Amino acid sequence: MTHPQPLERNLEQPPAPNEHGAGLRLLQPYLRRAHARSAKRWARAVEKCVTIDHLRQVMEKRVPPIVREYYRGGADNEITLRDNVEAFQRERFKPRSAVQLDAVEMRTEILGHPIALPVIAAPIGSPRMLWPRGEAGAAKAVGEAGTICTLSTLTGTDLEEVRTASPGPCWYQLYLVGGKEVAARGIERAKNAGYSALVLTIDTAVAGNRARHEWLGASQAINGTPFQKLKFGPQMIPHLSWLQSFYADGGMMQFRNVILNDGQPMPYADVGAQLRTSVVTWEHLPWIREIWGTDKPILVKGVQCVEDARLAAEHGVDGIIISNHGGRQMDRVYPTLYILKDVAAELKDSAMTILLDGGIRSGGDVVIALAHGADAVLAGRAYVYGLGAGGEAGVRKAFAILKKEIEDTLRLLGCASIHDLNAKEHLLPYPFQ
Ligand SMILES: Cc1cc2nc3c(=O)[nH]c(=O)nc-3n(C[C@H](O)[C@H](O)[C@H](O)COP(=O)(O)O)c2cc1C
């Protein structure tokens, strides 16, 4: 089975013929000019941002609520979404003052990849809904920041194009959507395109119940009749520049990295049913390893207890990502920072690489995670807010903000290197009840 060739095009070239009806094709020159103009405007707004939260606010101005909610939201009552962030907010630093540091060290090496800062871009579904060919723009900015970009299976830009766009290393995140045969094709493609690690996500036995997104009408926005979709018209009016960019990019994306057995990309649809029929188990690991090969690492993402961390080690994976999917899967699970404390203690003498994600919104959060034993962290929303705010420029800004905040935190702590961080020396207990 072959897959369609990557689309060799960018926004200066017309979208592929199947992506627009005749009417929209006629509007293409106008839409592309409008996108180029608004991109400059949003880049200026992004430049003023000082924190990741400012990027979120700019994204909320640009993107209509039904789209924004997909990226912001969490499962059920969003308790875990909130707890992930609050767990970091409840940590307190212990600075050592009157220390002058000529330089601080934040470079590290993760599974053979030297990176300029201990933050990796987490896999995020459908970045192309936020910005034209957002996967490629994000990968370019992340690579230029000197770190690793992880591409989700559920993305709208060909994985080959994303790999080429990044000057840095790229990892590929695997779901088994479409079944084993479909997934095997995805693994082969990622291997041939030069992805240097495979990230197997294990926390999606069903898709999380993103109640608020559904309440706002997510299913109708995706699968509704044209008449049902009309009701979203009014909310587009304050966000016309997003709408123009969306149609300049071809409109509703397809999952171009999930090539079904008929040779076509999976259409954009609710993936809940797909995830339910393609649950990953530990038994899949030898099969995945056989296709991926033994020379490049495999990580398991979605470890939430010491028992699963041990199982991952027994199954020979090279790294774990302690993750609750950013609070988007099971609600009311422990924030990842607390799981990290247990897992790091359990695995401290093993060669396993320990990464964490969930709740990283500042460089201070990154420093705290490292002090508690993470080798590095993944950030999801932190850079996706940047993408939604200003595309590639926004992702660049997100990483610049995190980098500056890590450096400032280390200097204020009086700690010369991320490799010297530890909770006993650099953190204090939370002082309030
Ligand atoms: C909008 C969105 C889409 C996501 N899509 C995926 C995905 O396709 N695959 C995956 O393994 N994780 C996915 N995640 C989870 C992230 O990889 C990561 O675990 C999470 O964002 C970390 O939490 P944070 O956003 O608080 O940093 C997604 C997260 C968000 C916010």
Side-chain angles (χ1 to χ4, degrees):
M1 176 71 61
T2 56
H3 61 78
Q5 290 304 303
L7 294 180
E8 284 296 329
R9 65 193 166 76
N10 55 39
L11 276 184
E12 281 70 54
Q13 298 164 330
N18 64 340
E19 289 184 289
H20 280 314
L24 274 175
R25 267 204 296 283
L26 284 177
L27 285 177
Q28 271 307 297
Y30 159 76
L31 290 170
R32 275 179 273 135
R33 273 199 306 275
H35 169 69
R37 267 197 311 272
S38 73
K40 284 192 191 138
R41 209 171 64 240
W42 290 113
R44 283 196 294 274
V46 152
E47 226 10 78
K48 291 188 193 138
C49 293
V50 182
T51 66
I52 296 296
D53 197 57
H54 296 158
L55 287 173
R56 180 190 61 75
Q57 292 178 45
V58 176
M59 174 187 111
E60 294 199 359
K61 283 201 188 114
R62 181 177 165 267
V63 170
I66 188 66
V67 177
R68 175 208 67 208
E69 191 51 31
Y70 172 70
Y71 297 90
R72 184 214 61 85
D76 299 306
N77 291 312
E78 303 193 333
I79 293 167
T80 296
L81 173 63
R82 199 179 56 233
D83 282 358
N84 276 348
V85 174
E86 282 188 7
F88 283 103
Q89 290 175 346
R90 282 172 177 264
E91 296 282 323
R92 292 295 177 268
F93 291 113
K94 180 183 169 194
R96 299 302 305 272
S97 303
V99 177
Q100 194 205 326
L101 302 169
D102 293 334
V104 292
E105 178 62 276
M106 68 172 93
R107 286 170 303 180
T108 188
E109 191 174 311
I110 298 296
L111 293 167
H113 305 81
I115 51 176
L117 74 168
V119 186
I120 294 167
I124 298 286
S126 317
R128 196 168 175 167
M129 298 292 276
L130 281 178
W131 194 269
R133 310 240 300 298
E135 295 85 355
K140 181 162 180 278
V142 172
E144 284 170 2
T147 188
I148 301 161
C149 186
T150 314
L151 180 72
S152 160
T153 297
L154 297 175
T155 38
T157 307
D158 292 305
L159 63 84
E160 294 81 359
E161 183 186 332
V162 176
R163 178 52 280 195
T164 310
S166 170
C170 291
W171 292 354
Y172 186 66
Q173 176 269 325
L174 183 69
Y175 283 133
L176 302 187
V177 282
K180 280 173 82 175
E181 208 183 316
V182 171
R185 271 199 293 278
I187 302 172
E188 286 286 0
R189 259 178 90 181
K191 195 164 76 171
N192 295 338
Y195 284 75
S196 50
L198 193 67
V199 175
L200 179 66
T201 298
I202 60 168
D203 59 4
T204 48
V206 294
N209 176 28
R210 320 253 159 84
R212 192 173 145 74
H213 195 213
E214 193 49 44
W215 171 246
L216 291 180
S219 295
Q220 287 185 355
I222 298 169
N223 299 320
T225 61
F227 183 70
Q228 285 170 326
K229 288 184 182 179
L230 265 184
K231 86 166 193 203
F232 296 95
Q235 68 168 268
M236 298 298 159
I237 293 167
H239 304 281
L240 275 182
S241 77
W242 174 85
L243 197 67
Q244 288 163 340
S245 301
F246 177 72
Y247 281 114
D249 192 35
M252 197 58 105
M253 56 167 261
Q254 301 165 314
F255 290 118
R256 296 200 53 85
N257 298 311
V258 183
I259 303 301
L260 300 176
N261 290 335
D262 61 4
Q264 295 305 310
M266 189 165 110
Y268 198 83
D270 175 14
V271 291
Q274 287 279 352
L275 289 172
R276 227 191 316 266
T277 56
S278 53
V279 177
V280 179
T281 68
W282 296 107
E283 280 68 49
H284 284 109
L285 267 168
W287 167 75
I288 291 168
R289 176 65 85 185
E290 202 181 310
I291 306 171
W292 179 246
T294 49
D295 55 333
K296 292 191 219 168
I298 294 181
L299 297 98
V300 164
K301 173 172 181 285
V303 169
Q304 297 191 60
C305 59
V306 167
E307 292 83 344
D308 282 351
R310 269 196 228 115
L311 272 175
E314 280 163 33
H315 282 82
V317 307
D318 306 277
I320 55 169
I321 303 171
I322 299 171
S323 171
N324 52 39
H325 222 102
R328 296 166 69 81
Q329 282 297 113
M330 188 170 208
D331 200 14
R332 291 207 227 195
V333 296
Y334 253 42
T336 45
L337 184 62
Y338 291 158
I339 311 284
L340 170 69
K341 295 177 189 179
D342 288 349
V343 170
E346 171 79 15
L347 297 183
K348 70 175 182 310
D349 297 324
S350 81
M352 178 77 85
T353 293
I354 303 175
L355 306 177
L356 161 143
D357 73 25
I360 300 288
R361 301 287 184 273
S362 71
D365 298 338
V366 179
V367 168
I368 287 164
L370 268 54
H372 281 296
D375 293 307
V377 302
L378 282 76
R381 292 178 182 84
Y383 85 91
V384 152
Y385 290 159
L387 185 69
E392 190 185 315
V395 178
R396 200 173 290 123
K397 185 70 181 184
F399 275 87
I401 289 171
L402 293 175
K403 195 167 184 188
K404 177 177 186 306
E405 288 175 343
I406 295 171
E407 169 155 0
D408 289 354
T409 307
L410 288 173
R411 285 185 184 281
L412 289 167
L413 276 177
C415 176
S417 165
I418 55 167
H419 304 285
D420 298 335
L421 285 167
N422 69 77
K424 269 204 188 92
E425 220 177 307
H426 298 112
L427 301 176
L428 285 169
Y430 186 65
F432 314 107
Q433 279 315 307

